[in-house]
Amino acid sequence: MRVRKLTLAAMALAAGLSLTACQSDDVTDPSAAPSAASSASSASSSNGGSEPAGGGSAASGQEGGTDTAGKTSDGTGGTGGTGEGGKTTACRTDELEITAMDATVGGDTEGTVAVDLKNGGGRDCTLAGYAGVDLKTNAGSLSAKRTGEQAPQIVLADGDTVTFGITYPVNDTGGSGVRVTGLVVTPPNETKSVTLDWPGAATLPVTDGSGTPVQVGPMGSAGQGG
């Protein structure tokens, strides 16, 4: 009877040990989970998130319409204006309508011609200084002398007009004098001239050749003495 009891006890112990071993095989080791999660998080961070590596930079390189200099796709930089940096530039001869008229006032000892420069270029432009003035005569070309007055810069709006004056001595000597056949005007800072009919007195007195008797005023001047 004692031997039977010992045998039953041994069998029960063996069965318990076997059940414990089976249960151990079915349980996941909890220490392995954090390591796996940590590895997945590190891989996602190294790729900048859920996108594949390098995907974001490729997309940004294809979007937008400007380069690093801020220029538009046509290379102009999107800027405009009448000149460098958008500044108003000088009036060109071809943009100006130039006319001349007699402006002598009765009783004056000198004759006066007023020259108008009208801006027809479709943009604002600037005139500064003196125009070049030459009288064509039967004795050759006669250049006018500047009066020496201050010559401010004038911004001439499209369609506006600026005037300057030319003064000359009246021929009251009774002689034939020097016959004037034309007027040549060159706008400031230009080389292209315009030839006009001379609207003043037909002749100038003969001089001793010591200097020109004709004077020209700056832009914006008009009337006797420029």
Side-chain angles (χ1 to χ4, degrees):
M1 180 63 69
R2 181 176 178 80
V3 171
R4 181 177 176 81
K5 289 182 177 178
L6 289 174
T7 301
L8 292 173
M11 291 176 65
L13 178 60
L17 291 173
S18 176
L19 179 60
T20 301
C22 290
Q23 290 175 345
S24 297
D25 290 339
D26 295 337
V27 176
T28 302
D29 185 359
S31 64
S35 176
S38 226
S39 298
S41 175
S42 297
S44 176
S45 298
S46 65
N47 288 339
S50 59
E51 292 289 333
S57 59
S60 64
Q62 295 171 357
E63 294 176 353
T66 59
D67 61 16
T68 55
K71 294 180 180 178
T72 56
S73 57
D74 61 1
T76 62
T79 59
T82 56
E84 183 177 354
K87 295 182 179 179
T88 305
T89 55
C91 300
R92 311 295 296 182
T93 300
D94 291 338
E95 297 175 313
L96 299 170
E97 180 183 343
I98 304 176
T99 56
M101 66 180 66
D102 184 16
T104 304
V105 177
D108 285 349
T109 58
E110 291 183 310
T112 303
V113 167
V115 179
D116 292 339
L117 293 84
K118 182 178 180 180
N119 181 6
R123 68 180 183 95
D124 294 355
C125 60
T126 59
L127 287 169
Y130 289 76
V133 171
D134 296 282
L135 271 59
K136 297 171 69 174
T137 75
N138 62 339
S141 180
L142 182 65
S143 296
K145 180 182 179 181
R146 297 177 179 180
T147 60
E149 296 174 75
Q150 185 176 1
Q153 177 172 282
I154 295 172
V155 177
L156 193 62
D158 182 38
D160 283 358
T161 300
V162 65
T163 304
F164 69 87
I166 302 169
T167 57
Y168 61 94
V170 176
N171 182 20
D172 56 4
T173 62
S176 59
V178 177
R179 183 166 55 89
V180 182
T181 59
L183 170 64
V184 181
V185 177
T186 308
N189 303 309
E190 272 285 81
T191 57
K192 186 175 182 179
S193 303
V194 173
T195 301
L196 307 170
D197 292 334
W198 173 249
T203 62
L204 302 176
V206 177
T207 63
D208 58 7
S210 60
T212 177
V214 182
Q215 290 191 312
V216 55
M219 288 292 115
S221 67
Q224 186 166 315

